[in-house]
Amino acid sequence: MSLFLEASQRHPKPENRKFSYGTAGFRMKADLLDSVVFRVGLLASLRSQKLQGKTIGVVITASHNVPEDNGVKLVDPMGEMLEASWEVHATSLANAPSDEQLLVEYENLISTLGVNTEITPKVVFARDTRESGPALVAALQDALAATKTDFVDHGLLTTPQLHYLVRCINTIDSEQPYGEPTEQGYYNKLASAYRKLMVGIPSNGEVTVDCANGVGAPKLRLLAETVGRDVFQCSIVNDSVDQPSKLNHQCGADFVKTQQRLPPGSHVASLARCASLDGDADRLVYYFNDSDGTFRLLDGDKIATLAASFIGDLTKAAGLRSLNIGVVQTAYANGSSTSYITKTLALPVVCTPTGVKHLHHAALKFDIGVYFEANGHGTVVFSNGALQDIAEYVPESPAQAAALENLKALVDLINQTVGDALSDLLLVEVILAHKRWGPKEWDGTYTDLPNRLVRVEVSDRTAFMTTDAERRLMEPVGVQEKIDALVGKYKQGRSFARASGTEDAVRVYSEAAERGEAEELARLVAEIVAQY
Ligand code: 16G
Ligand code: MG
C-alpha cells in the first residue's frame, strides 16, 4: 500500500475544508480541488471493481460556473449519474483528514461494500476547456495509477459525450449496444438519425448557437460537419475556447435564462432562431427577438412541451397508442407549461426535486418519459418495453410505416443517458422543421406566467427543509404558513423557497398573473426567508 500513500501524499487535503458530493458532484474554486479529484479517482476505481469491472466515467467540469471554478463527477455504467447511495462514500473519502486515514477509509469501503480487489478496474474520463483541467487530470491519473486501474483519457469532451461513451463501452457486447464508443461514433449516430428524420422535410434555415466559449463550440462544429450543411445550418458564436476567461462570461444558457436577455453583442435578425449551450453543453435554451424587438425565451419547459407533443403525435401516427408518455418537471417549471401539458397535450406531469438524477429516475417510470428542468437540462428516455414495442410493431399502412421509421430515428437522435445540448439542439431543429414552425409559432403554444427567481443569503441554509418535491417548507416551522398567506393574495400566485444544492443560499421562486405582482411576491417571500 506504499504506492497508495506515496501518491496520496502528492495530493494533500486543504485543512479546515469540508467537501460534499452534491447534485452535480464536487464543485468549487479549482485550486481547492486537487485532493478531491485524486480521491474521486480512488472511488471510481472501487466502483468499477464493485461492479465486476464495468467502466466508470469521470468528468472534470464546472458547467456554467465562472472560469476559476472546476468540478468533478462520476458516471455510472449505463451513463447515468453516480448511484445516490455512493455519494456519501465520495464525501467521506474527500474529507479524510490525513493520508493514513484516507487509506483506512478506502480499506473500510473495500470491506463494507464487499469489493473484489482482484478485478481490474476500468475508468474513462474527459474534461471541459478550463485552464485548471490538465492539472486536475494529472491528479486523477495519479489515483488511477496507484490503484492499477485501466484508464483512457478522452481529452476534451462535453459532459454528455462522456456519458454516451460510458454507456457504449458497457453495452458493446450486450443485446442493446448503445453505439460505437468513440467521439466520431457519437457524431455518426446523431447525424445519421437526424438525416433520416429530415428526408423529404424542407430545412428551416440557419440557427445561431452561442456556445458559452466552452467545449460545446468545437464539438458542435464537428457534429455539424458530420451532419452536413445541406440539412443542418448553424452559425456558431461565442466559440473562443482559447481564451479561458471568457467561458460562460456574459453568454451561455445560464446567462440567457437568468438574465432573460441576449448575450451582449449578439446581433440577431428579428424572428431568427438562436440557442445557447452552457459550459459543458448539457443545457440548452432557445430564444428570439420578436418583430417588436422584445426578447422571447424558449426555455427547458418549452423544449419539453415541444418534444412531448411531437413524440405523442408520432407514436399515435405509428399506431403505438398504448405507450404511455409522461413529462417530468421540477417546481421551477412555469405554471403555464404544466397546464399546457395536462390540458392541451393531455399528458401526465410528475414533479420531482431539482437535480437531474431525480428527474431522470421519475422519467424512467413512463414508457416514454420526457424530462426537462426549466434551465434547459433534459432529455427523453424510452423504457426497454417501449423500445421493444417500437422494434417489433408491424405497421398497418404506409403512413404508420413512415411514422415508425421516424420514431426509430428519434430514439437514436436523443441521448438517453443524460440531457445533452447538442442532441437536444438537433431534436428541436427536427421538430420545428416537421411542424414548419418558426420560433414565434413555437412560443405561441402557451404564454409563460411572469415569474421571478431571487437568491437570499441566510445564516444556515440547511435549516430550510422541504417536502412535496421542494414545493413546501417543513422547517423552519411556521414559514410555509406565512408564504401561503401571501400567495393567496395574488391572482395565479405561486411561490416556494428551497435551499440551493450548489451555493450557500436559499432560492425563492414566484409567479403570478402580472409581472409586477410576481416581482412583489418574490420580494415579500424573500423578506420572510431572510429573517431566518
Ligand atoms: C445542479 C444540477 C441541476 C440543477 C442545479 C440547481 C445536475 C447534473 N445538475 O447544477 O440539474 O438545476 O444544480 O442548482 O443535477 P441549485 O440547487 O443551486 O438551485
Ligand atoms: Mg452543465
Side-chain angles (χ1 to χ4, degrees), residues 22-25 27 63-65 73 81 282-283 330 332 354-359 373 375 377 418 453 461 470 498-503 505 507:
T23 38
R27 203 181 281 184
S63 184
H64 57 280
N65 287 38
K73 54 187 169 191
M81 309 270 160
D282 65 354
R283 284 195 200 178
T330 70
Y332 290 111
T354 302
V356 173
K357 60 183 177 211
H358 301 296
L359 289 114
E373 289 190 309
N375 64 25
H377 185 111
V418 78
L453 180 63
R461 72 175 152 143
E470 301 182 325
R498 60 172 276 276
S500 159
T502 62
E503 283 179 57
R507 300 197 199 284

PDB file of all heavy atoms in Angstrom, residues 22-25 27 63-65 73 81 282-283 330 332 354-359 373 375 377 418 453 461 470 498-503 505 507, ligand 1:
ATOM      1  N   GLY A  22     -22.413  16.858  -4.105  1.00  0.00           N
ATOM      2  CA  GLY A  22     -23.783  17.379  -4.211  1.00  0.00           C
ATOM      3  C   GLY A  22     -24.475  16.953  -5.484  1.00  0.00           C
ATOM      4  O   GLY A  22     -24.073  15.983  -6.128  1.00  0.00           O
ATOM      5  N   THR A  23     -25.491  17.731  -5.874  1.00  0.00           N
ATOM      6  CA  THR A  23     -26.294  17.372  -7.050  1.00  0.00           C
ATOM      7  C   THR A  23     -25.449  17.269  -8.315  1.00  0.00           C
ATOM      8  O   THR A  23     -25.804  16.553  -9.245  1.00  0.00           O
ATOM      9  CB  THR A  23     -27.399  18.415  -7.329  1.00  0.00           C
ATOM     10  OG1 THR A  23     -26.879  19.705  -7.068  1.00  0.00           O
ATOM     11  CG2 THR A  23     -28.615  18.173  -6.491  1.00  0.00           C
ATOM     12  N   ALA A  24     -24.347  18.022  -8.362  1.00  0.00           N
ATOM     13  CA  ALA A  24     -23.527  17.979  -9.576  1.00  0.00           C
ATOM     14  C   ALA A  24     -22.102  17.548  -9.224  1.00  0.00           C
ATOM     15  O   ALA A  24     -21.141  18.027  -9.801  1.00  0.00           O
ATOM     16  CB  ALA A  24     -23.546  19.339 -10.245  1.00  0.00           C
ATOM     17  N   GLY A  25     -21.956  16.649  -8.281  1.00  0.00           N
ATOM     18  CA  GLY A  25     -20.627  16.188  -7.866  1.00  0.00           C
ATOM     19  C   GLY A  25     -19.976  17.210  -6.950  1.00  0.00           C
ATOM     20  O   GLY A  25     -20.661  17.931  -6.220  1.00  0.00           O
ATOM     21  N   ARG A  27     -17.949  20.691  -6.646  1.00  0.00           N
ATOM     22  CA  ARG A  27     -17.729  21.872  -7.495  1.00  0.00           C
ATOM     23  C   ARG A  27     -17.293  23.045  -6.619  1.00  0.00           C
ATOM     24  O   ARG A  27     -17.928  23.322  -5.607  1.00  0.00           O
ATOM     25  CB  ARG A  27     -19.024  22.234  -8.207  1.00  0.00           C
ATOM     26  CG  ARG A  27     -18.788  23.038  -9.461  1.00  0.00           C
ATOM     27  CD  ARG A  27     -20.076  23.392 -10.119  1.00  0.00           C
ATOM     28  NE  ARG A  27     -20.654  22.309 -10.900  1.00  0.00           N
ATOM     29  CZ  ARG A  27     -21.756  22.450 -11.619  1.00  0.00           C
ATOM     30  NH1 ARG A  27     -22.390  23.608 -11.636  1.00  0.00           N
ATOM     31  NH2 ARG A  27     -22.238  21.439 -12.312  1.00  0.00           N
ATOM     32  N   SER A  63     -19.317  23.142 -15.473  1.00  0.00           N
ATOM     33  CA  SER A  63     -20.518  23.535 -16.198  1.00  0.00           C
ATOM     34  C   SER A  63     -20.601  25.043 -16.464  1.00  0.00           C
ATOM     35  O   SER A  63     -19.707  25.603 -17.078  1.00  0.00           O
ATOM     36  CB  SER A  63     -21.710  23.018 -15.401  1.00  0.00           C
ATOM     37  OG  SER A  63     -22.902  23.269 -16.048  1.00  0.00           O
ATOM     38  N   HIS A  64     -21.658  25.673 -15.932  1.00  0.00           N
ATOM     39  CA  HIS A  64     -21.890  27.096 -16.202  1.00  0.00           C
ATOM     40  C   HIS A  64     -21.195  28.015 -15.206  1.00  0.00           C
ATOM     41  O   HIS A  64     -21.366  29.232 -15.272  1.00  0.00           O
ATOM     42  CB  HIS A  64     -23.399  27.353 -16.182  1.00  0.00           C
ATOM     43  CG  HIS A  64     -24.028  26.949 -14.879  1.00  0.00           C
ATOM     44  ND1 HIS A  64     -24.332  25.641 -14.594  1.00  0.00           N
ATOM     45  CD2 HIS A  64     -24.350  27.661 -13.790  1.00  0.00           C
ATOM     46  CE1 HIS A  64     -24.840  25.583 -13.371  1.00  0.00           C
ATOM     47  NE2 HIS A  64     -24.850  26.775 -12.860  1.00  0.00           N
ATOM     48  N   ASN A  65     -20.442  27.448 -14.277  1.00  0.00           N
ATOM     49  CA  ASN A  65     -19.781  28.300 -13.276  1.00  0.00           C
ATOM     50  C   ASN A  65     -18.690  29.173 -13.900  1.00  0.00           C
ATOM     51  O   ASN A  65     -18.281  28.959 -15.028  1.00  0.00           O
ATOM     52  CB  ASN A  65     -19.121  27.431 -12.195  1.00  0.00           C
ATOM     53  CG  ASN A  65     -20.127  26.807 -11.256  1.00  0.00           C
ATOM     54  OD1 ASN A  65     -21.192  26.405 -11.682  1.00  0.00           O
ATOM     55  ND2 ASN A  65     -19.781  26.704  -9.991  1.00  0.00           N
ATOM     56  N   LYS A  73     -17.321  14.861 -11.357  1.00  0.00           N
ATOM     57  CA  LYS A  73     -18.445  13.965 -11.053  1.00  0.00           C
ATOM     58  C   LYS A  73     -18.230  12.611 -11.715  1.00  0.00           C
ATOM     59  O   LYS A  73     -17.463  12.480 -12.675  1.00  0.00           O
ATOM     60  CB  LYS A  73     -19.780  14.584 -11.460  1.00  0.00           C
ATOM     61  CG  LYS A  73     -19.866  15.032 -12.893  1.00  0.00           C
ATOM     62  CD  LYS A  73     -21.184  15.796 -13.130  1.00  0.00           C
ATOM     63  CE  LYS A  73     -21.172  16.486 -14.467  1.00  0.00           C
ATOM     64  NZ  LYS A  73     -22.263  17.421 -14.665  1.00  0.00           N
ATOM     65  N   MET A  81     -25.975   9.256 -13.713  1.00  0.00           N
ATOM     66  CA  MET A  81     -25.230   9.845 -12.601  1.00  0.00           C
ATOM     67  C   MET A  81     -24.872   8.738 -11.608  1.00  0.00           C
ATOM     68  O   MET A  81     -25.575   7.736 -11.524  1.00  0.00           O
ATOM     69  CB  MET A  81     -26.114  10.827 -11.829  1.00  0.00           C
ATOM     70  CG  MET A  81     -26.800  11.832 -12.690  1.00  0.00           C
ATOM     71  SD  MET A  81     -25.759  13.244 -12.839  1.00  0.00           S
ATOM     72  CE  MET A  81     -26.431  13.963 -14.295  1.00  0.00           C
ATOM     73  N   ASP A 282     -24.492  20.588 -21.492  1.00  0.00           N
ATOM     74  CA  ASP A 282     -25.605  19.719 -21.109  1.00  0.00           C
ATOM     75  C   ASP A 282     -26.884  20.516 -20.844  1.00  0.00           C
ATOM     76  O   ASP A 282     -27.848  19.990 -20.312  1.00  0.00           O
ATOM     77  CB  ASP A 282     -25.252  18.806 -19.923  1.00  0.00           C
ATOM     78  CG  ASP A 282     -24.995  19.550 -18.644  1.00  0.00           C
ATOM     79  OD1 ASP A 282     -24.968  20.800 -18.665  1.00  0.00           O
ATOM     80  OD2 ASP A 282     -24.812  18.878 -17.600  1.00  0.00           O
ATOM     81  N   ARG A 283     -26.865  21.784 -21.196  1.00  0.00           N
ATOM     82  CA  ARG A 283     -28.087  22.587 -21.121  1.00  0.00           C
ATOM     83  C   ARG A 283     -28.260  23.346 -22.417  1.00  0.00           C
ATOM     84  O   ARG A 283     -27.279  23.765 -23.035  1.00  0.00           O
ATOM     85  CB  ARG A 283     -27.956  23.665 -20.042  1.00  0.00           C
ATOM     86  CG  ARG A 283     -28.093  23.184 -18.652  1.00  0.00           C
ATOM     87  CD  ARG A 283     -28.310  24.419 -17.810  1.00  0.00           C
ATOM     88  NE  ARG A 283     -27.997  24.172 -16.421  1.00  0.00           N
ATOM     89  CZ  ARG A 283     -28.082  25.118 -15.490  1.00  0.00           C
ATOM     90  NH1 ARG A 283     -28.431  26.347 -15.836  1.00  0.00           N
ATOM     91  NH2 ARG A 283     -27.807  24.832 -14.258  1.00  0.00           N
ATOM     92  N   THR A 330     -39.712  20.142 -12.554  1.00  0.00           N
ATOM     93  CA  THR A 330     -39.467  20.498 -11.157  1.00  0.00           C
ATOM     94  C   THR A 330     -40.381  21.673 -10.808  1.00  0.00           C
ATOM     95  O   THR A 330     -41.097  22.194 -11.675  1.00  0.00           O
ATOM     96  CB  THR A 330     -38.012  20.951 -10.918  1.00  0.00           C
ATOM     97  OG1 THR A 330     -37.825  22.227 -11.538  1.00  0.00           O
ATOM     98  CG2 THR A 330     -37.021  19.943 -11.458  1.00  0.00           C
ATOM     99  N   TYR A 332     -39.706  24.575 -10.509  1.00  0.00           N
ATOM    100  CA  TYR A 332     -39.379  25.766 -11.295  1.00  0.00           C
ATOM    101  C   TYR A 332     -40.107  25.835 -12.631  1.00  0.00           C
ATOM    102  O   TYR A 332     -40.032  26.849 -13.316  1.00  0.00           O
ATOM    103  CB  TYR A 332     -37.871  25.827 -11.578  1.00  0.00           C
ATOM    104  CG  TYR A 332     -37.036  26.126 -10.369  1.00  0.00           C
ATOM    105  CD1 TYR A 332     -36.197  25.170  -9.822  1.00  0.00           C
ATOM    106  CD2 TYR A 332     -37.086  27.383  -9.769  1.00  0.00           C
ATOM    107  CE1 TYR A 332     -35.432  25.440  -8.712  1.00  0.00           C
ATOM    108  CE2 TYR A 332     -36.310  27.664  -8.653  1.00  0.00           C
ATOM    109  CZ  TYR A 332     -35.485  26.690  -8.133  1.00  0.00           C
ATOM    110  OH  TYR A 332     -34.729  26.972  -7.034  1.00  0.00           O
ATOM    111  N   THR A 354     -35.359  19.305  -7.556  1.00  0.00           N
ATOM    112  CA  THR A 354     -34.339  19.774  -8.501  1.00  0.00           C
ATOM    113  C   THR A 354     -33.175  18.786  -8.582  1.00  0.00           C
ATOM    114  O   THR A 354     -32.845  18.137  -7.596  1.00  0.00           O
ATOM    115  CB  THR A 354     -33.807  21.129  -7.980  1.00  0.00           C
ATOM    116  OG1 THR A 354     -34.911  21.997  -7.873  1.00  0.00           O
ATOM    117  CG2 THR A 354     -32.775  21.726  -8.901  1.00  0.00           C
ATOM    118  N   GLY A 355     -32.535  18.722  -9.733  1.00  0.00           N
ATOM    119  CA  GLY A 355     -31.369  17.828  -9.896  1.00  0.00           C
ATOM    120  C   GLY A 355     -31.712  16.729 -10.871  1.00  0.00           C
ATOM    121  O   GLY A 355     -32.741  16.057 -10.748  1.00  0.00           O
ATOM    122  N   VAL A 356     -30.815  16.571 -11.831  1.00  0.00           N
ATOM    123  CA  VAL A 356     -31.067  15.678 -12.943  1.00  0.00           C
ATOM    124  C   VAL A 356     -31.416  14.261 -12.519  1.00  0.00           C
ATOM    125  O   VAL A 356     -32.299  13.627 -13.085  1.00  0.00           O
ATOM    126  CB  VAL A 356     -29.811  15.677 -13.846  1.00  0.00           C
ATOM    127  CG1 VAL A 356     -29.937  14.644 -14.932  1.00  0.00           C
ATOM    128  CG2 VAL A 356     -29.593  17.056 -14.405  1.00  0.00           C
ATOM    129  N   LYS A 357     -30.721  13.762 -11.488  1.00  0.00           N
ATOM    130  CA  LYS A 357     -30.949  12.353 -11.136  1.00  0.00           C
ATOM    131  C   LYS A 357     -32.412  12.108 -10.723  1.00  0.00           C
ATOM    132  O   LYS A 357     -32.974  11.058 -11.026  1.00  0.00           O
ATOM    133  CB  LYS A 357     -29.991  11.907 -10.034  1.00  0.00           C
ATOM    134  CG  LYS A 357     -30.125  12.686  -8.778  1.00  0.00           C
ATOM    135  CD  LYS A 357     -29.121  12.274  -7.725  1.00  0.00           C
ATOM    136  CE  LYS A 357     -29.301  13.178  -6.519  1.00  0.00           C
ATOM    137  NZ  LYS A 357     -28.117  13.427  -5.772  1.00  0.00           N
ATOM    138  N   HIS A 358     -33.022  13.095 -10.064  1.00  0.00           N
ATOM    139  CA  HIS A 358     -34.419  12.911  -9.647  1.00  0.00           C
ATOM    140  C   HIS A 358     -35.346  12.861 -10.860  1.00  0.00           C
ATOM    141  O   HIS A 358     -36.232  12.015 -10.953  1.00  0.00           O
ATOM    142  CB  HIS A 358     -34.855  14.052  -8.728  1.00  0.00           C
ATOM    143  CG  HIS A 358     -34.017  14.158  -7.493  1.00  0.00           C
ATOM    144  ND1 HIS A 358     -33.977  13.169  -6.545  1.00  0.00           N
ATOM    145  CD2 HIS A 358     -33.171  15.119  -7.056  1.00  0.00           C
ATOM    146  CE1 HIS A 358     -33.151  13.518  -5.578  1.00  0.00           C
ATOM    147  NE2 HIS A 358     -32.643  14.694  -5.861  1.00  0.00           N
ATOM    148  N   LEU A 359     -35.126  13.787 -11.771  1.00  0.00           N
ATOM    149  CA  LEU A 359     -35.977  13.826 -12.967  1.00  0.00           C
ATOM    150  C   LEU A 359     -35.793  12.563 -13.795  1.00  0.00           C
ATOM    151  O   LEU A 359     -36.753  11.956 -14.269  1.00  0.00           O
ATOM    152  CB  LEU A 359     -35.622  15.048 -13.827  1.00  0.00           C
ATOM    153  CG  LEU A 359     -36.051  16.391 -13.234  1.00  0.00           C
ATOM    154  CD1 LEU A 359     -34.861  17.222 -12.878  1.00  0.00           C
ATOM    155  CD2 LEU A 359     -36.925  17.151 -14.198  1.00  0.00           C
ATOM    156  N   GLU A 373     -35.529  20.379 -16.960  1.00  0.00           N
ATOM    157  CA  GLU A 373     -35.572  21.457 -15.988  1.00  0.00           C
ATOM    158  C   GLU A 373     -35.773  22.741 -16.798  1.00  0.00           C
ATOM    159  O   GLU A 373     -35.337  22.837 -17.942  1.00  0.00           O
ATOM    160  CB  GLU A 373     -34.262  21.534 -15.206  1.00  0.00           C
ATOM    161  CG  GLU A 373     -34.096  20.378 -14.237  1.00  0.00           C
ATOM    162  CD  GLU A 373     -32.921  20.577 -13.287  1.00  0.00           C
ATOM    163  OE1 GLU A 373     -31.806  20.866 -13.754  1.00  0.00           O
ATOM    164  OE2 GLU A 373     -33.124  20.453 -12.080  1.00  0.00           O
ATOM    165  N   ASN A 375     -34.224  25.306 -16.648  1.00  0.00           N
ATOM    166  CA  ASN A 375     -32.926  25.863 -17.033  1.00  0.00           C
ATOM    167  C   ASN A 375     -32.344  25.230 -18.305  1.00  0.00           C
ATOM    168  O   ASN A 375     -31.263  25.612 -18.739  1.00  0.00           O
ATOM    169  CB  ASN A 375     -31.936  25.753 -15.875  1.00  0.00           C
ATOM    170  CG  ASN A 375     -31.604  24.309 -15.494  1.00  0.00           C
ATOM    171  OD1 ASN A 375     -31.711  23.400 -16.313  1.00  0.00           O
ATOM    172  ND2 ASN A 375     -31.203  24.098 -14.256  1.00  0.00           N
ATOM    173  N   HIS A 377     -31.829  21.768 -18.953  1.00  0.00           N
ATOM    174  CA  HIS A 377     -31.246  20.430 -18.906  1.00  0.00           C
ATOM    175  C   HIS A 377     -32.351  19.389 -19.031  1.00  0.00           C
ATOM    176  O   HIS A 377     -33.276  19.383 -18.240  1.00  0.00           O
ATOM    177  CB  HIS A 377     -30.490  20.199 -17.595  1.00  0.00           C
ATOM    178  CG  HIS A 377     -29.787  18.869 -17.590  1.00  0.00           C
ATOM    179  ND1 HIS A 377     -28.422  18.766 -17.636  1.00  0.00           N
ATOM    180  CD2 HIS A 377     -30.266  17.616 -17.622  1.00  0.00           C
ATOM    181  CE1 HIS A 377     -28.098  17.478 -17.688  1.00  0.00           C
ATOM    182  NE2 HIS A 377     -29.212  16.767 -17.676  1.00  0.00           N
ATOM    183  N   VAL A 418     -28.413  11.230 -20.519  1.00  0.00           N
ATOM    184  CA  VAL A 418     -28.404  12.475 -19.747  1.00  0.00           C
ATOM    185  C   VAL A 418     -28.821  13.599 -20.689  1.00  0.00           C
ATOM    186  O   VAL A 418     -28.786  13.424 -21.914  1.00  0.00           O
ATOM    187  CB  VAL A 418     -26.961  12.687 -19.196  1.00  0.00           C
ATOM    188  CG1 VAL A 418     -26.013  13.208 -20.254  1.00  0.00           C
ATOM    189  CG2 VAL A 418     -26.924  13.571 -17.963  1.00  0.00           C
ATOM    190  N   LEU A 453     -37.014  34.837  -9.888  1.00  0.00           N
ATOM    191  CA  LEU A 453     -36.190  33.970  -9.040  1.00  0.00           C
ATOM    192  C   LEU A 453     -35.225  34.858  -8.282  1.00  0.00           C
ATOM    193  O   LEU A 453     -34.529  35.667  -8.886  1.00  0.00           O
ATOM    194  CB  LEU A 453     -35.420  32.991  -9.937  1.00  0.00           C
ATOM    195  CG  LEU A 453     -34.499  31.990  -9.251  1.00  0.00           C
ATOM    196  CD1 LEU A 453     -35.275  31.051  -8.345  1.00  0.00           C
ATOM    197  CD2 LEU A 453     -33.731  31.168 -10.283  1.00  0.00           C
ATOM    198  N   ARG A 461     -28.475  27.638   5.551  1.00  0.00           N
ATOM    199  CA  ARG A 461     -29.459  27.168   4.559  1.00  0.00           C
ATOM    200  C   ARG A 461     -29.957  25.764   4.890  1.00  0.00           C
ATOM    201  O   ARG A 461     -31.029  25.358   4.456  1.00  0.00           O
ATOM    202  CB  ARG A 461     -28.872  27.216   3.155  1.00  0.00           C
ATOM    203  CG  ARG A 461     -27.832  26.160   2.905  1.00  0.00           C
ATOM    204  CD  ARG A 461     -27.337  26.126   1.489  1.00  0.00           C
ATOM    205  NE  ARG A 461     -25.972  25.608   1.490  1.00  0.00           N
ATOM    206  CZ  ARG A 461     -25.464  24.819   0.574  1.00  0.00           C
ATOM    207  NH1 ARG A 461     -26.181  24.455  -0.445  1.00  0.00           N
ATOM    208  NH2 ARG A 461     -24.239  24.387   0.666  1.00  0.00           N
ATOM    209  N   GLU A 470     -40.042  19.825  -3.103  1.00  0.00           N
ATOM    210  CA  GLU A 470     -39.471  21.156  -2.800  1.00  0.00           C
ATOM    211  C   GLU A 470     -40.492  22.284  -2.894  1.00  0.00           C
ATOM    212  O   GLU A 470     -40.120  23.452  -2.836  1.00  0.00           O
ATOM    213  CB  GLU A 470     -38.275  21.475  -3.722  1.00  0.00           C
ATOM    214  CG  GLU A 470     -37.168  20.459  -3.610  1.00  0.00           C
ATOM    215  CD  GLU A 470     -35.963  20.784  -4.481  1.00  0.00           C
ATOM    216  OE1 GLU A 470     -36.148  21.320  -5.589  1.00  0.00           O
ATOM    217  OE2 GLU A 470     -34.848  20.510  -4.048  1.00  0.00           O
ATOM    218  N   ARG A 498     -36.431  27.143  -1.440  1.00  0.00           N
ATOM    219  CA  ARG A 498     -35.657  25.915  -1.204  1.00  0.00           C
ATOM    220  C   ARG A 498     -34.185  26.264  -1.076  1.00  0.00           C
ATOM    221  O   ARG A 498     -33.713  27.233  -1.677  1.00  0.00           O
ATOM    222  CB  ARG A 498     -35.848  24.905  -2.347  1.00  0.00           C
ATOM    223  CG  ARG A 498     -35.407  25.408  -3.698  1.00  0.00           C
ATOM    224  CD  ARG A 498     -35.432  24.332  -4.775  1.00  0.00           C
ATOM    225  NE  ARG A 498     -34.219  23.531  -4.772  1.00  0.00           N
ATOM    226  CZ  ARG A 498     -33.084  23.870  -5.395  1.00  0.00           C
ATOM    227  NH1 ARG A 498     -32.994  25.018  -6.048  1.00  0.00           N
ATOM    228  NH2 ARG A 498     -32.037  23.076  -5.351  1.00  0.00           N
ATOM    229  N   ALA A 499     -33.479  25.462  -0.272  1.00  0.00           N
ATOM    230  CA  ALA A 499     -32.042  25.678  -0.140  1.00  0.00           C
ATOM    231  C   ALA A 499     -31.376  25.247  -1.439  1.00  0.00           C
ATOM    232  O   ALA A 499     -31.703  24.198  -1.988  1.00  0.00           O
ATOM    233  CB  ALA A 499     -31.505  24.855   1.022  1.00  0.00           C
ATOM    234  N   SER A 500     -30.444  26.055  -1.923  1.00  0.00           N
ATOM    235  CA  SER A 500     -29.687  25.669  -3.116  1.00  0.00           C
ATOM    236  C   SER A 500     -28.828  24.461  -2.785  1.00  0.00           C
ATOM    237  O   SER A 500     -28.348  24.309  -1.666  1.00  0.00           O
ATOM    238  CB  SER A 500     -28.793  26.841  -3.535  1.00  0.00           C
ATOM    239  OG  SER A 500     -27.742  26.361  -4.346  1.00  0.00           O
ATOM    240  N   GLY A 501     -28.645  23.597  -3.788  1.00  0.00           N
ATOM    241  CA  GLY A 501     -27.753  22.462  -3.596  1.00  0.00           C
ATOM    242  C   GLY A 501     -26.335  22.789  -4.041  1.00  0.00           C
ATOM    243  O   GLY A 501     -25.425  21.993  -3.860  1.00  0.00           O
ATOM    244  N   THR A 502     -26.136  23.931  -4.662  1.00  0.00           N
ATOM    245  CA  THR A 502     -24.817  24.236  -5.221  1.00  0.00           C
ATOM    246  C   THR A 502     -24.200  25.512  -4.656  1.00  0.00           C
ATOM    247  O   THR A 502     -23.041  25.783  -4.879  1.00  0.00           O
ATOM    248  CB  THR A 502     -24.915  24.425  -6.760  1.00  0.00           C
ATOM    249  OG1 THR A 502     -25.769  25.530  -7.016  1.00  0.00           O
ATOM    250  CG2 THR A 502     -25.454  23.182  -7.440  1.00  0.00           C
ATOM    251  N   GLU A 503     -24.994  26.312  -3.950  1.00  0.00           N
ATOM    252  CA  GLU A 503     -24.478  27.565  -3.410  1.00  0.00           C
ATOM    253  C   GLU A 503     -25.000  27.741  -1.999  1.00  0.00           C
ATOM    254  O   GLU A 503     -26.033  27.186  -1.647  1.00  0.00           O
ATOM    255  CB  GLU A 503     -25.024  28.757  -4.219  1.00  0.00           C
ATOM    256  CG  GLU A 503     -24.379  28.978  -5.548  1.00  0.00           C
ATOM    257  CD  GLU A 503     -25.048  30.167  -6.243  1.00  0.00           C
ATOM    258  OE1 GLU A 503     -25.071  31.262  -5.673  1.00  0.00           O
ATOM    259  OE2 GLU A 503     -25.572  29.951  -7.343  1.00  0.00           O
ATOM    260  N   ALA A 505     -27.020  29.472  -0.209  1.00  0.00           N
ATOM    261  CA  ALA A 505     -28.123  30.432  -0.264  1.00  0.00           C
ATOM    262  C   ALA A 505     -29.450  29.682  -0.375  1.00  0.00           C
ATOM    263  O   ALA A 505     -29.474  28.478  -0.626  1.00  0.00           O
ATOM    264  CB  ALA A 505     -27.961  31.335  -1.483  1.00  0.00           C
ATOM    265  N   ARG A 507     -33.088  29.813  -2.490  1.00  0.00           N
ATOM    266  CA  ARG A 507     -33.670  30.417  -3.687  1.00  0.00           C
ATOM    267  C   ARG A 507     -35.176  30.541  -3.490  1.00  0.00           C
ATOM    268  O   ARG A 507     -35.826  29.622  -2.982  1.00  0.00           O
ATOM    269  CB  ARG A 507     -33.399  29.559  -4.912  1.00  0.00           C
ATOM    270  CG  ARG A 507     -31.928  29.381  -5.191  1.00  0.00           C
ATOM    271  CD  ARG A 507     -31.696  28.883  -6.613  1.00  0.00           C
ATOM    272  NE  ARG A 507     -30.376  28.293  -6.744  1.00  0.00           N
ATOM    273  CZ  ARG A 507     -29.236  28.978  -6.827  1.00  0.00           C
ATOM    274  NH1 ARG A 507     -29.259  30.301  -6.770  1.00  0.00           N
ATOM    275  NH2 ARG A 507     -28.073  28.368  -6.942  1.00  0.00           N
TER     276      ARG A 507
HETATM  277  C1  16G B   1     -27.091  21.276 -10.492  1.00  0.00           C
HETATM  278  C2  16G B   1     -27.950  20.267 -11.189  1.00  0.00           C
HETATM  279  C3  16G B   1     -29.018  20.950 -11.986  1.00  0.00           C
HETATM  280  C4  16G B   1     -29.823  21.862 -11.091  1.00  0.00           C
HETATM  281  C5  16G B   1     -28.929  22.812 -10.348  1.00  0.00           C
HETATM  282  C6  16G B   1     -29.711  23.535  -9.289  1.00  0.00           C
HETATM  283  C7  16G B   1     -27.231  18.150 -12.107  1.00  0.00           C
HETATM  284  C8  16G B   1     -26.279  17.465 -13.040  1.00  0.00           C
HETATM  285  N1  16G B   1     -27.139  19.466 -12.075  1.00  0.00           N
HETATM  286  O1  16G B   1     -26.397  22.077 -11.416  1.00  0.00           O
HETATM  287  O2  16G B   1     -29.831  19.963 -12.517  1.00  0.00           O
HETATM  288  O3  16G B   1     -30.752  22.600 -11.816  1.00  0.00           O
HETATM  289  O4  16G B   1     -27.920  22.079  -9.692  1.00  0.00           O
HETATM  290  O5  16G B   1     -28.867  24.340  -8.558  1.00  0.00           O
HETATM  291  O6  16G B   1     -28.017  17.524 -11.423  1.00  0.00           O
HETATM  292  P1  16G B   1     -29.301  24.895  -7.152  1.00  0.00           P
HETATM  293  O7  16G B   1     -29.551  23.731  -6.242  1.00  0.00           O
HETATM  294  O8  16G B   1     -28.156  25.758  -6.734  1.00  0.00           O
HETATM  295  O9  16G B   1     -30.545  25.703  -7.371  1.00  0.00           O
END
